[in-house]
Amino acid sequence: MNGGDRMATERNKRNKRSDVRESGANERQDGPADTGAGAVRGRRVRSGALSLAVYEQGDPTRPTVLLVHGYPDTHAVWDDVAADLAVDHHVVRYDVRGAGASNSPRTTEEYRLELLARDLFAVADATSPDRPVHVVAHDWGSIQAWEAVTDPRSAERVASYTTLSGPCLDHMGFWLRRRVRRPTPRHLKQLAAQGVHSWYIYLFHLPVLAPAAWRLGLARAWPRVLRDLERVTPRADHPQRTLAGDAARGVRLYRANMLPRLLHPTPRPTAVPVQVITLTDDHYVSPALSEGLEEWAPHLWRRELPATHWSALLEKGTTVARMIREFTAHQEGAPAADALAKARTGRAQGPAGEAAEFAGKLVVITGAGSGIGRATALAFAERGADLALCDLDRDGLDRTAELARLLGAKAETHRVDVSDAAAVQAFAAAVADAQGVPDVVVNNAGIGHSGTFLETTEEEWRRVLDVNLWGVIHGCRAFGALMKERGAGGHIVNLSSAAAYLPSKMLAAYATSKAAVFMLSDCLRAELARDRIGVSTICPGIVNTNITRTTTFSGVDAAEQERRQKKFSGLYARRGFPPEKVAAEILDAVRTGRAVVPVTVEAKAARLVSRLAPGALRLAARLKVG
Amino acid sequence: MSDPRTHHRTGVRAGAGKPPAFPFDAHDLDRFRELQQLAYRCAERTAAWLEPGVTEREAARRLRRELVAEGVQDFFHVPFAWFGDRTAFRHFHTPLQFFATGRRLAEGMSYVLDCAPVVDGYTADIGYAGKVGDNPVWDRIAEDLLEYRELIVRLVRERRTLNEVYAAVDAKIAQHGYDNRHQVYPGRVIGHQVTRMREQRLPAGVNLFGFGVRTLQTLGRELISERLHGRSPLWADGRASRHAPTPGLWAVEPHVGFRDVGLKFEELLVVTEDDAYWLDDDLPHVHRGRALAAAR
Ligand SMILES: NC(=O)c1ccc[n+]([C@@H]2O[C@H](COP(=O)([O-])OP(=O)(O)OC[C@H]3O[C@@H](n4cnc5c(N)ncnc54)[C@H](O)[C@@H]3O)[C@@H](O)[C@H]2O)c1
């Protein structure tokens, strides 16, 4: 007797027993204790008040794969996959509540995902108490397995998860929400596609009708549906005899869960490694649904299988089994098979791809000893650039350079006061001499100052303009001339601020200096366009850096000055916008050549208002004290 | 039922802002110190056993076995193990992600082992950072870690408020060019108070989301009684920590990261009414930090 025949016999035995299935016997062993790979050993596992029919195959000392079937199936839908995997796995299947030989709950309530997940853990605990299991699930089985995989217990109990054609309903809720809120053409297309794929969901919400349809004829027609629509070769043992009842009861799965989760999704991330197998010809689940899944499952592998919803399991069982085997083996410690290695998505891949982006480029950054300057230096370093850095603060500068070198960059440092024209000229000459003409120059050094126009002393005005405006002018002149002369293009980035277009009584000198940088960048951009030297103006809002600790205030004594510095530092820290994000925008500006880049929401909002209703901002400045 | 040495803490009436007296005697401190040594010993043994290919789950299990073998029966929280970028809590969105995963150790990776055994109501809570193979970023941070250790005890000794100390640590982290990873812990805490847990009716070892139920009971009680006095047993950067360090024992755990590498230590700080000192200097990260600085 070959394995398949033996399984069929086993299954028939159990189908005959289905009349006693409500007896709810716990942990009963039935069938001979045959441990041959093909033999199916049946038992029952209790979950709450219900008793579930569980089927085991293969050597129990091997890694356990737990196969969860969907709707309107039973464990039998996995026959081919299970037989293949049983050669080197402990394969466990069960009939989910309401299907096959498992008990059926009476109320719709009892089909909630929480309870379905509890069933899964009960089966895992009973069949593999000491080792976490590899869950593999299809269709509704996959929906409920997501519930389990995103549950705290999964950390101890689930080693990996392979999902076919069944999204997490909460993820799907967020997916829909995002597309409804941002109806770009692409999003609308995706929504429409999923809407078309989901016709059966609406159908199953119809009271009475849906269960009746199954009982009255749909069940009988199902083999034809499978053959014609799903391209599944008819076979004697499929669909299961209990189909009409399973299907009618299972409609409650949709009713109990679909709307509540889609309308009120909660975030459900998981640390479990997840393999998504997308079936490219699936009539019920559109591939776009798994877009953005990395957000919830950062350890993600994506693979595709040209198959329909059911032909994947019923026709291509060996291929699915191979994908599962590669995945479990890798999670158990084997090196990834080639096909699997290619399927790895996202971050864990490491920045290997990005590493070379700025390789061989030289980037000059002023004020690189802290905050945005340092973050920008490190971001460029990480992507292969070499650096020429300057700052007034020797210690901060050295630190940045050391970190940049740890990231693999060559970094030279120069202690330079950017407000000093001669010093900046000398800096540019030294850089050109030692490292060559830069490809990117970031004029970032700047200082904060707060005071009304009249309060601000002449000396304070001078200091702010010397550093914030003249510093940028000197940088642009010295390096711009070198770049133009070399004739190989390049990019200049100037740090302005949202203050450049946000009038304020308290930031008279600072805002003026930043507005000047804004305009000088506009002029310079026009001038250098012919030389293929781009100019970008960066306008950050509130960024958590050292600037608040060094900002000076007009007309207050030292104690008050310190108090305000502390207060603003706290404020900026709580806003919590990291300089790394500004750095990312700067790199992006260099890539795309964007002219003006407001960073942070407040900077973007202010920019918008300054263009639509500048009068409103002028009025606000009058009314506000700060 | 309750321990007489800790009992007076709850005896202080609400509104009486006076800080409580230091609740432990020399014997207690010895017990805490011994347990902390034990915990670090187990972490070091686990670290010595680690090699490329081992998963976080295996490491956490191994650490637990080491502790149990030394007679530990209860845990303040389950043992944790983090590898690679998970040592810097990159892409952590929920506390669930703290649990050990199937992530495998590879050459050059950093790792962190974190455990909190409880014996006779005494608690240790330790964090052990390590690396396999060569990792210069790790070496740099390991050396700098001692600066945070010195900064914290100095400012606590000056009786600066806990949120001020937190901010000073933040400033130091920024100065170093790293980022604050303890802010990823629930409540953004850099530390928490450690009291002697009372005998409980609940069995040891029951746990909820990785924290022993006894722990949660004790912590819950502390949270409430301390809030009544305008203090918090959790040490973070918010308003709740705007108070001078409460005399007692604090488990302090600065955790810093740079890119994919995260390091932490965690150990007990003794805060008396007018002084503060680390319970023990004979700890792996102290020796290692000094050795690295000397080699420079
Ligand atoms: N942080 C913010 O919220 C914010 C918002 C808008 C714009 N900006 C601008 O971003 C730039 C960077 O600021 P940050 O927030 O990183 O501040 P930061 O204080 O952290 O860093 C500025 C760096 O510039 C250096 N510097 C100051 N004066 C210098 C001089 N004369 N010569 C050479 N170096 C000098 C400082 O030593 C420091 O290392 C500044 O131009 C600032 O105006 C910052």
Side-chain angles (χ1 to χ4, degrees):
Chain A
M1 186 157 51
N2 71 28
D5 289 342
R6 208 182 305 166
M7 270 187 302
T9 322
E10 281 291 326
R11 204 167 29 252
N12 290 337
K13 260 194 239 158
R14 221 166 341 272
N15 282 344
K16 280 193 211 95
R17 281 198 330 100
S18 62
D19 44 348
V20 295
R21 70 166 187 264
E22 303 295 339
S23 70
N26 194 18
E27 299 277 326
R28 188 173 50 204
Q29 189 74 36
D30 63 23
D34 186 345
T35 47
V40 181
R41 306 179 293 280
R43 67 191 283 190
R44 299 197 67 91
V45 169
R46 186 163 282 285
S47 174
L50 300 183
S51 156
L52 303 172
V54 176
Y55 310 87
E56 291 181 75
Q57 272 163 282
D59 180 355
T61 63
R62 309 285 309 172
T64 302
V65 279
L66 178 57
L67 309 176
V68 191
H69 72 81
Y71 171 90
D73 294 314
T74 65
H75 74 284
V77 78
W78 292 110
D79 280 352
D80 297 352
V81 176
D84 188 317
L85 286 175
V87 175
D88 50 2
H89 287 84
H90 173 219
V91 180
V92 178
R93 294 180 276 167
Y94 65 103
D95 289 336
V96 304
R97 51 173 66 198
S102 286
N103 288 174
S104 311
R106 258 174 281 283
T107 63
T108 302
E109 262 301 274
E110 288 166 283
Y111 282 90
R112 274 178 301 121
L113 287 173
E114 294 91 297
L115 300 174
L116 295 163
R118 199 202 278 169
D119 292 349
L120 191 155
F121 283 119
V123 174
D125 289 345
T127 55
S128 176
D130 304 323
R131 279 169 80 177
V133 300
H134 298 275
V135 177
V136 181
H138 175 246
D139 184 82
W140 260 97
S142 171
I143 293 177
Q144 41 185 295
W146 269 116
E147 182 79 8
V149 165
T150 54
D151 181 283
R153 276 170 293 175
S154 67
E156 296 276 322
R157 300 300 301 133
V158 181
S160 78
Y161 178 37
T162 297
T163 156
L164 296 103
S165 287
C168 171
L169 291 186
D170 296 272
H171 298 172
M172 188 171 164
F174 284 113
W175 185 95
L176 291 169
R177 203 180 258 187
R178 195 162 300 154
R179 280 158 185 78
V180 170
R181 291 201 181 143
R182 280 201 56 215
T184 60
R186 184 161 163 276
H187 281 172
L188 286 175
K189 214 172 118 201
Q190 291 177 340
L191 275 175
Q194 184 51 39
V196 171
H197 280 79
S198 306
W199 54 270
Y200 58 98
I201 297 178
Y202 322 129
L203 210 67
F204 288 165
H205 274 89
L206 298 178
V208 190
L209 207 64
W214 280 108
R215 297 213 191 266
L216 292 179
L218 186 52
R220 234 172 305 129
W222 196 243
R224 249 181 302 132
V225 173
L226 286 182
R227 189 191 63 207
D228 298 344
L229 274 171
E230 291 291 314
R231 301 199 290 272
V232 172
T233 322
R235 53 209 262 178
D237 54 346
H238 198 272
Q240 72 277 18
R241 293 194 200 142
T242 48
L243 173 68
D246 293 345
R249 279 188 296 274
V251 164
R252 291 181 168 182
L253 289 171
Y254 292 86
R255 301 219 178 128
N257 299 300
M258 218 66 199
L259 282 179
R261 295 300 180 108
L262 293 187
L263 295 179
H264 307 287
T266 50
R268 295 192 74 95
T270 180
V272 170
V274 176
Q275 164 173 247
V276 187
I277 301 180
T278 299
L279 309 179
T280 51
D281 304 328
D282 198 314
H283 298 304
Y284 310 93
V285 180
S286 73
L289 259 188
S290 79
E291 197 176 286
L293 188 57
E294 283 82 354
E295 183 186 348
W296 307 111
H299 303 293
L300 190 67
W301 284 256
R302 289 175 183 279
R303 320 181 73 168
E304 283 192 352
L305 181 63
T308 65
H309 196 74
W310 272 285
S311 73
L313 301 187
L314 296 170
E315 295 287 322
K316 305 200 169 172
T318 32
T319 312
V320 170
R322 177 175 52 76
M323 290 177 165
I324 296 167
R325 178 173 286 113
E326 286 171 359
F327 194 53
T328 58
H330 182 47
Q331 300 307 329
E332 296 280 333
D338 279 357
L340 185 64
K342 285 204 202 83
R344 182 77 170 104
T345 79
R347 289 136 175 164
Q349 224 163 18
E354 327 167 293
E357 185 183 0
F358 291 100
K361 303 280 184 207
L362 177 63
V363 180
V364 169
I365 300 169
T366 70
S370 164
I372 296 168
R374 174 181 282 172
T376 305
L378 297 178
F380 274 116
E382 220 167 17
R383 287 162 185 78
D386 290 333
L387 304 172
L389 309 174
C390 89
D391 203 294
L392 266 182
D393 169 19
R394 185 82 246 180
D395 291 343
L397 189 60
D398 286 346
R399 187 79 193 187
T400 305
E402 185 181 356
L403 294 175
R405 286 179 201 123
L406 285 172
L407 295 175
K410 283 195 210 96
E412 297 293 326
T413 59
H414 303 258
R415 194 179 167 283
V416 175
D417 180 349
V418 294
S419 64
D420 177 342
V424 176
Q425 277 298 342
F427 172 45
V431 170
D433 199 37
Q435 295 172 279
V437 176
D439 301 286
V440 178
V441 176
V442 184
N443 289 300
N444 160 81
I447 52 175
H449 181 81
S450 170
T452 67
F453 194 99
L454 294 179
E455 258 172 22
T456 305
T457 63
E458 185 185 332
E459 199 187 328
E460 287 167 343
W461 271 104
R462 274 192 202 291
R463 209 171 61 85
V464 172
L465 292 177
D466 276 351
V467 179
N468 290 1
L469 175 56
W470 277 103
V472 178
I473 296 174
H474 297 323
C476 288
R477 292 189 69 217
F479 289 103
L482 285 175
M483 289 158 90
K484 188 181 160 102
E485 186 194 290
R486 181 180 63 167
H491 206 95
I492 295 176
V493 178
N494 292 333
L495 266 288
S496 175
S497 163
Y501 42 77
L502 247 183
S504 139
K505 279 188 272 191
M506 294 311 293
L507 292 174
Y510 182 79
T512 302
S513 72
K514 292 299 180 183
V517 168
F518 196 108
M519 179 52 81
L520 85 77
S521 305
D522 279 350
C523 300
L524 186 62
R525 184 177 310 113
E527 178 178 339
L528 294 180
R530 255 189 319 166
D531 304 289
R532 289 182 299 111
I533 299 171
V535 178
S536 294
T537 314
I538 313 293
C539 302
I542 294 174
V543 183
N544 185 18
T545 68
N546 217 24
I547 201 163
T548 47
R549 290 182 202 113
T550 53
T551 291
T552 46
F553 295 80
S554 289
V556 301
D557 62 15
E560 175 61 13
Q561 175 121 322
E562 199 188 325
R563 198 191 66 77
R564 290 197 192 174
Q565 285 173 349
K566 263 201 185 142
K567 180 179 144 195
F568 281 99
S569 299
L571 225 70
Y572 275 52
R574 246 163 292 139
R575 167 74 178 83
F577 195 93
E580 286 75 18
K581 286 197 183 173
V582 185
E585 295 283 349
I586 290 174
L587 264 65
D588 213 46
V590 172
R591 275 181 209 118
T592 60
R594 246 179 99 187
V596 176
V597 185
V599 187
T600 74
V601 273
E602 61 273 13
K604 285 178 193 162
R607 169 105 173 116
L608 194 68
V609 180
S610 76
R611 294 159 81 180
L612 296 178
L617 291 184
R618 289 195 281 268
L619 182 68
R622 253 172 73 189
L623 299 177
K624 263 194 322 194
V625 201
Chain B
M1 199 185 89
S2 74
D3 187 294
R5 277 163 304 210
T6 55
H7 192 69
H8 71 275
R9 302 176 98 270
T10 35
V12 179
R13 219 169 292 119
K18 202 163 86 59
F22 184 69
F24 301 109
D25 61 18
H27 170 73
D28 289 329
L29 292 183
D30 285 344
R31 293 292 308 268
F32 276 115
R33 193 180 299 113
E34 282 159 21
L35 185 58
Q36 181 167 286
Q37 280 289 345
L38 179 155
Y40 265 109
R41 213 159 49 229
C42 291
E44 279 189 302
R45 274 206 297 272
T46 306
W49 166 84
L50 288 179
E51 59 184 14
V54 170
T55 67
E56 287 182 353
R57 277 202 204 93
E58 288 163 353
R61 240 183 340 249
R62 174 75 181 210
L63 179 55
R64 175 190 286 269
R65 270 209 298 280
E66 293 284 357
L67 290 158
V68 170
E70 293 250 21
V72 174
Q73 287 174 356
D74 196 6
F75 293 92
F76 184 79
H77 61 67
V78 298
F80 294 114
W82 305 299
F83 294 170
D85 67 347
R86 283 176 45 82
T87 58
F89 301 155
R90 298 296 174 208
H91 322 301
F92 274 36
H93 304 291
T94 74
L96 286 186
Q97 292 173 290
F98 287 107
F99 289 104
T101 68
R103 166 71 67 88
R104 284 179 193 285
L105 202 55
E107 195 63 28
M109 262 191 193
S110 55
Y111 61 84
V112 172
L113 304 172
D114 188 306
C115 67
V118 178
V119 173
D120 297 337
Y122 295 101
T123 305
D125 199 342
I126 65 125
Y128 181 93
K131 57 161 185 171
V132 283
D134 190 36
N135 188 329
V137 171
W138 190 94
D139 293 344
R140 177 72 253 191
I141 304 178
E143 186 184 334
D144 293 330
L145 219 45
L146 286 197
E147 280 192 42
Y148 302 98
R149 195 173 182 269
E150 281 149 29
L151 177 73
I152 290 167
V153 70
R154 180 164 59 75
L155 296 183
V156 170
R157 216 173 264 153
E158 290 170 13
R159 299 201 59 71
R160 301 272 285 276
T161 66
L162 291 180
N163 65 332
E164 268 180 348
V165 182
Y166 192 107
V169 171
D170 261 1
K172 173 69 73 188
I173 291 173
Q175 186 195 331
H176 281 149
Y178 304 144
D179 54 344
N180 165 348
R181 300 322 288 161
H182 42 267
Q183 67 181 353
V184 183
Y185 293 123
R188 303 169 59 84
V189 297
I190 191 175
H192 57 87
Q193 212 169 347
V194 169
T195 53
R196 204 179 148 192
M197 283 198 248
R198 307 181 196 169
E199 292 304 314
Q200 307 273 337
R201 259 158 298 154
L202 271 167
V206 177
N207 74 71
L208 193 68
F209 300 120
F211 283 85
V213 166
R214 291 179 175 197
T215 302
L216 293 175
Q217 280 189 337
T218 308
L219 203 65
R221 200 166 37 239
E222 289 294 315
L223 265 170
I224 293 165
S225 88
E226 287 294 274
R227 281 310 289 156
L228 289 175
H229 300 95
R231 300 185 295 260
S232 170
L234 301 178
W235 179 349
D237 53 352
R239 204 178 280 270
S241 290
R242 202 189 290 165
H243 60 82
T246 318
L249 287 175
W250 288 82
V252 188
E253 47 182 332
H255 191 147
V256 302
F258 180 66
R259 297 325 199 233
D260 286 353
V261 181
L263 277 82
K264 75 177 287 190
F265 65 79
E266 181 166 13
E267 55 173 309
L268 291 179
L269 180 68
V270 183
V271 179
T272 65
E273 284 103 74
D274 54 5
D275 195 13
Y277 56 91
W278 293 104
L279 177 63
D280 197 351
D281 282 329
D282 183 16
L283 297 176
H285 52 273
V286 180
H287 298 310
R288 201 176 48 204
R290 287 182 185 155
L292 280 166
R296 180 163 272 274

